[in-house]
């Protein structure tokens, strides 16, 4: 995976951006078997490359400018915040 849309889907209006998340939540953001990232890709019509375990925790998001630049980082941030809230609740138990 090279972080870009397959050539049949690439167009002049696409961009690729990088979204960094803390190491400890990469798996939570990705979801079981990649379910969360797959859902985000389907909802936003983007292509997201998930960082491998030995790389920096940076997701590469490729898609149309409005979706990639505005929507996907927001969805990743919301997922991160949900994970933080869950961890905090577990720690209180």
């Amino acid at each position: 995976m090279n972080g870009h849309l397959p050539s049949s889907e690439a167009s002049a209006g696409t961009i690729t951006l990088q979204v960094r998340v803390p190491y400890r939540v990469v798996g939570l953001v990705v979801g079981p078997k990649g379910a969360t990232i797959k859902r985000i890709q389907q909802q936003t019509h983007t292509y997201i490359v998930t960082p491998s375990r030995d790389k920096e925790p940076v997701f590469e998001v490729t898609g149309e400018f409005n979706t990639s630049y505005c929507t996907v980082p927001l969805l990743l941030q919301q997922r991160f915040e949900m994970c933080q809230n869950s961890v905090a609740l577990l720690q209180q138990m």
Side-chain angles (χ1 to χ4, degrees):
M1 291 186 200
N2 61 12
H4 299 285
L5 290 169
S7 58
S8 62
E9 295 180 35
S11 69
T14 62
I15 65 164
T16 299
L17 62 97
Q18 296 182 336
V19 180
R20 179 180 293 277
V21 300
Y23 279 108
R24 68 185 184 279
V25 298
V26 170
L28 297 172
V29 170
V30 172
K33 298 183 181 180
T36 302
I37 286 297
K38 289 174 188 173
R39 187 178 70 245
I40 291 172
Q41 288 182 107
Q42 290 170 347
Q43 289 174 342
T44 61
H45 306 287
T46 56
Y47 181 73
I48 302 173
V49 176
T50 301
S52 60
R53 293 182 188 270
D54 60 336
K55 303 278 183 177
E56 290 292 314
V58 177
F59 291 84
E60 287 190 2
V61 181
T62 301
E64 291 183 21
F65 176 80
N66 288 340
T67 302
S68 297
Y69 192 75
C70 302
T71 307
V72 173
L74 178 62
L75 290 172
L76 290 174
Q77 179 65 29
Q78 288 172 344
R79 178 68 180 165
F80 169 66
E81 288 171 0
M82 286 173 32
C83 295
Q84 279 187 315
N85 292 340
S86 295
V87 169
L89 287 173
L90 289 173
Q91 290 175 341
Q92 291 175 2
M93 296 181 140

